[in-house]
Structures are given as C-alpha cells and as structure tokens.
Amino acid sequence: MKKKLISKRPTWDEYFLKIAEIVGSRSTCDRAHVGAVITKNKVILSTGYNGAPRGLPHCDDVGHEIVDGHCIRTVHAEANAIAQAARNGAPIEGAIIYLTVSPCYDCFKMMVNAGIQGVVYKQFYSSRYGLSKAVLDLSKKTGVKIKVFK
C-alpha cells in the first residue's frame, strides 16, 4: 500500500501572494519585479505588475528614467491592477489587494479612493517611496487595513 503524501494546503494569503509573485515576474522594469492581485470573496478580480505605460517602450529595452533613485518610467503594480479592473468593469469596492512589496503613499491613496478595504504585502519596500508613516497614518484615518504576511 502506498503512503499518501500529505502536503500543507496554503492559506488564502499564501495562495494570493504566490500568485502576486508570478504576476510580478512579468514586470518590464528590471529594478523591481512587483506584483499585485486584487481579490474579493476569495476570487481574483484583477492583477498588475510594474512596467511602462501601455504601448510604450519597456525599461528593460530602452533604459530607466531615474529621479531621486526611483524609476519614474514605470506604473506601479497596484496602479496597473486598479486600472485593469476599471478597464474590464470589475468592481473592486471592498476588495483586498495582495502585493509582493508594501505600497507607496500615492498607490495607497489610489487604493483608498478605489474602495479597497485591505492590503496584504509580503516584503517591506525600504525607500522613501515605500511604506511610510504617511501610509500608516492614512490607514488609521480611512480604516483600510494593512497587514504584512509572516
């Protein structure tokens, strides 16, 4: 009789973060491969990765536009996921977004305005554009929950 191998079934956070990692592997800016997955009721509504605006040359092909150590050519993964949801008519009010790295202030403000209610991220993004006191303060004011996956 063969012994059945028992594998640990991933939690929903593990599952969606692993998908976000694969989405991030499509990034067209080699400085950071960031992925985002927007879900609601455990169903994927939209995904996004960081890269040049639609139809424009990729950083990987033509180089970066660096300002203060940050590539401004790219659209962040979170913004692309929100834009993709809007393009396809996917309502994301009350959704959770899963990110491979913590959100910047501008993306977090966009998430608030889009109605996202929760943020789960895997890795802290340490730069002045990453998770900051301003993001944490806005999280408290708006009730949008931010959670690091451990």
Side-chain angles (χ1 to χ4, degrees):
M1 177 186 271
K2 281 191 170 183
K3 197 177 201 180
K4 184 178 177 183
L5 293 176
I6 299 173
S7 63
K8 180 182 169 275
R9 187 172 183 206
T11 66
W12 287 109
D13 286 352
E14 289 170 328
Y15 175 70
F16 290 128
L17 284 168
K18 183 61 81 175
I19 293 170
E21 288 176 0
I22 292 178
V23 170
S25 72
R26 292 278 307 151
S27 172
T28 62
C29 182
D30 60 6
R31 289 176 50 87
H33 294 268
V34 181
V37 175
I38 298 175
T39 70
K40 189 170 182 180
N41 300 321
K42 299 181 176 87
V43 173
I44 295 172
L45 302 176
S46 182
T47 65
Y49 53 84
N50 59 316
R54 187 181 293 267
L56 296 181
H58 304 305
C59 296
D60 291 353
D61 298 331
V62 297
H64 304 283
E65 291 179 34
I66 304 296
V67 174
D68 295 331
H70 184 70
C71 182
I72 62 166
R73 172 185 287 282
T74 63
V75 178
H76 289 189
E78 306 93 305
N80 273 327
I82 291 168
Q84 191 69 20
R87 258 181 98 97
N88 292 312
I92 59 174
E93 179 92 26
I96 297 172
I97 189 166
Y98 290 86
L99 306 169
T100 56
V101 298
S102 56
C104 73
Y105 189 54
D106 286 339
C107 285
F108 189 75
K109 290 184 294 185
M110 189 181 318
M111 290 178 221
V112 169
N113 281 359
I116 289 177
Q117 291 299 301
V119 178
V120 179
Y121 70 92
K122 187 168 184 177
Q123 179 182 350
F124 179 75
Y125 180 60
S126 60
S127 89
R128 74 180 201 149
Y129 297 97
L131 190 65
S132 64
K133 183 178 179 330
V135 170
L136 296 174
D137 288 346
L138 188 56
S139 168
K140 288 176 187 163
K141 290 176 186 172
T142 61
V144 175
K145 294 178 180 26
I146 300 177
K147 176 173 91 171
V148 62
F149 176 78
K150 294 183 183 189

